Amino acid sequence: MLRPLAKPALALAGTLALAGCSNSDAATATYPTWHNTEINAVSRMAAAGGVVTTTAMKPDGALETVSLDLADGKKLWAHPATMAGRLPGMGVSAPALVETAKGATIVALDPAKKGRWNATLVAREARTGKQKWTRPIHSTFGPQRCGPYVCLSEHTATAGARVVVLDPDTGNLKWKLPGIAEVEWSDRDRVLMLRLAKNPMIESYDLKTGKLQWQQPIEQALGPGIDMSGGWAFGATGDNLIGYVAPYTNPKTKNVSTFGLFSVKIGDGTINWMRPSVVRVYPSGSPGFAPVVRPVDRQGSYGGFARLDSETGRVVGQITAADVPGSGWWLAFPNRMDKLGFLKHDHKGSAFDLVTGKPVPVEEQRGWSFCVTDPKPLPLKGQAPGFYSTAALCEYDLATGKRIAEAATPPSWFTGSQHGWRLWRDEKGAVHATNDRTATAPGMYG
């Protein structure tokens, strides 16, 4: 069984021309650790400049931008937030957090309307919440950090859709480009964007000048017939960007779009490797870290499971289709992803060594899988239905199919790490963090 994508069913029209006091606890482990049960985080989280930011949902269904102290998890401030033009399959947008010479800045969408503008983009000092600048917005997929700047798709529901690059301290426009794009990777000098168009491609821009450095059509990697409506995910490893495009079945023709994994060099866009006709499985790590996939043949039949080396695209471990149980299971992986487990809730499951492909005794095998297998959409006020919070993982005993009661830190392949800090939400939206000095790396959600 496959977990629904983090970004399922993004409906692209044509060529996209229209395109208090915290419940923070003292650390009890060797590493600094805290828990904040005061908020209900529903988006991804980002950490920089000594703060953590996320979008949270209040009991009445309203959204708010929240800033937490990275050292102890205490809430610093919260302001109303909204989404204007974001599509439900993309999930709730997270604030953009940018660290500058003058301190960190949080940029998020505020519900304040003005004339023909549906919302207001607001930049605030990350620690104090003091407003720095505003920008009226008609429609947008939400702000993103791109190196030292803020990248924003705006007017996305109009023929004048464009991407603007803004100074986080002043809001001044640095440069812009027409159409719709999403930031997939950046450093202080370069940004890699996924350009959403009839012929989707990865493009690299110089962040200071906006000069196009290179572009690589996704068709070059996976073949013709790309349709991004099924969703996508990206992750970086070393000097490479690894991308995943999910399959999409056209409701009229019933044809399935081209899908698979591929890797390009960040420096020049050269294609390193490609794995067409495989689907990413969930839960699993970022495409940039130990991707786990299933091949799908032309008749739509699934094969076994394979873990790939993100540097080379080579199979480093697999189990055959004959070893896959019939039905009623959910994937579960241990901390090191060296084994693959089939979790059957309240029943005995099975497990395999991902390197050798051989079955292993399921007794004493633990695995991380989704806490909730039938999530309900968020009851958001004034928003289109169909938004879900980011998923939470729980640990299970594969021999019994029962959840392990004591709280533990989810694996790094799921949480990722930001400057040594690992951040995650539980199924109730509480935010947790530990600083175990794990190297900075993307998690399942980037």
Side-chain angles (χ1 to χ4, degrees):
M1 298 175 69
L2 300 180
R3 177 72 172 181
L5 298 173
K7 283 184 192 153
L10 174 55
L12 303 175
T15 63
L16 271 175
L18 299 179
C21 179
S22 165
N23 285 332
S24 304
D25 300 324
T28 56
T30 304
Y31 302 111
T33 301
W34 53 260
H35 314 282
N36 186 312
T37 59
E38 180 184 359
I39 65 172
N40 177 15
V42 294
S43 78
R44 302 180 188 183
M45 290 170 276
V51 302
V52 177
T53 186
T54 187
T55 302
M57 185 181 73
K58 300 200 294 186
D60 64 356
L63 294 175
E64 60 179 358
T65 300
V66 179
S67 176
L68 306 176
D69 191 305
L70 181 58
D72 56 20
K74 291 182 178 179
K75 185 161 76 171
L76 299 172
W77 53 265
H79 281 282
T82 190
M83 294 180 289
R86 190 170 174 90
L87 303 175
M90 301 178 76
V92 177
S93 57
L97 177 59
V98 184
E99 191 167 8
T100 71
K102 298 180 181 180
T105 297
I106 292 176
V107 183
L109 211 59
D110 187 283
K113 297 183 178 182
K114 188 179 296 183
R116 64 189 180 94
W117 304 105
N118 296 319
T120 303
L121 190 73
V122 180
R124 301 181 189 275
E125 292 180 357
R127 184 161 290 276
T128 66
K130 180 182 177 181
Q131 182 174 302
K132 302 179 72 170
W133 52 265
T134 64
R135 183 182 182 91
I137 294 293
H138 174 274
S139 50
T140 178
F141 289 168
Q144 294 181 279
R145 179 185 68 83
C146 51
Y149 303 125
V150 175
C151 285
L152 178 76
S153 59
E154 59 180 12
H155 311 319
T156 51
T158 74
R162 64 182 185 176
V163 176
V164 294
V165 180
L166 308 173
D167 185 304
D169 286 322
T170 64
N172 291 342
L173 178 68
K174 306 297 291 186
W175 51 275
K176 60 185 178 181
L177 64 149
I180 298 176
E182 180 180 82
V183 175
E184 304 303 350
W185 179 91
S186 68
D187 61 12
R188 298 200 64 82
D189 302 309
R190 180 196 302 265
V191 58
L192 267 54
M193 294 186 183
L194 168 64
R195 293 298 303 273
L196 296 167
K198 187 175 182 180
N199 183 17
M201 60 184 64
I202 304 297
E203 295 182 339
S204 175
Y205 291 89
D206 181 284
L207 264 174
K208 292 181 176 59
T209 65
K211 181 182 178 181
L212 176 66
Q213 297 172 322
W214 57 259
Q215 57 184 187
Q216 182 63 264
I218 295 178
E219 283 191 348
Q220 289 293 111
L222 297 178
I226 297 292
D227 188 327
M228 305 302 291
S229 301
W232 61 86
F234 285 83
T237 175
D239 298 326
N240 304 318
L241 180 74
I242 293 85
Y244 170 64
V245 177
Y248 175 70
T249 302
N250 187 302
K252 294 182 178 179
T253 65
K254 307 302 180 184
N255 293 331
V256 179
S257 64
T258 299
F259 59 97
L261 273 170
F262 65 97
S263 169
V264 298
K265 289 187 183 300
I266 290 174
D268 60 13
T270 303
I271 297 173
N272 298 307
W273 55 263
M274 57 198 77
R275 281 278 175 178
S277 301
V278 298
V279 295
R280 182 189 179 200
V281 302
Y282 297 88
S284 64
S286 159
F289 172 77
V292 179
V293 299
R294 293 190 80 178
V296 184
D297 64 22
R298 292 184 178 180
Q299 287 70 44
S301 298
Y302 287 98
F305 289 85
R307 175 172 164 173
L308 306 180
D309 182 300
S310 56
E311 288 282 353
T312 64
R314 294 173 181 168
V315 173
V316 294
Q318 63 183 324
I319 67 169
T320 67
D323 291 320
V324 178
S327 62
W329 49 263
W330 290 86
L331 291 182
F333 291 97
N335 287 340
R336 293 195 297 122
M337 287 192 81
D338 55 344
K339 297 179 178 64
L340 183 151
F342 294 99
L343 168 67
K344 293 192 174 184
H345 291 282
D346 297 320
H347 294 86
K348 184 177 181 179
S350 55
F352 293 81
D353 187 302
L354 252 182
V355 177
T356 66
K358 302 295 184 182
V360 296
V362 74
E363 288 72 22
E364 299 185 4
Q365 290 293 331
R366 293 185 173 190
W368 290 86
S369 191
F370 292 110
C371 301
V372 179
T373 56
D374 58 343
K376 303 296 188 293
L378 295 168
L380 297 179
K381 180 189 294 184
Q383 298 289 342
F387 282 95
Y388 292 82
S389 57
T390 56
L393 286 196
C394 292
E395 194 174 18
Y396 292 87
D397 182 337
L398 295 182
T400 63
K402 295 187 181 299
R403 181 172 166 179
I404 296 171
E406 65 266 23
T409 302
S412 58
W413 56 259
F414 173 72
T415 65
S417 181
Q418 302 177 53
H419 312 292
W421 282 94
R422 299 209 283 125
L423 301 158
W424 70 97
R425 67 180 291 277
D426 61 30
E427 71 254 55
K428 295 182 180 178
V431 178
H432 307 267
T434 186
N435 187 344
D436 60 5
R437 304 182 184 91
T438 302
T440 294
M444 189 177 95
Y445 285 109

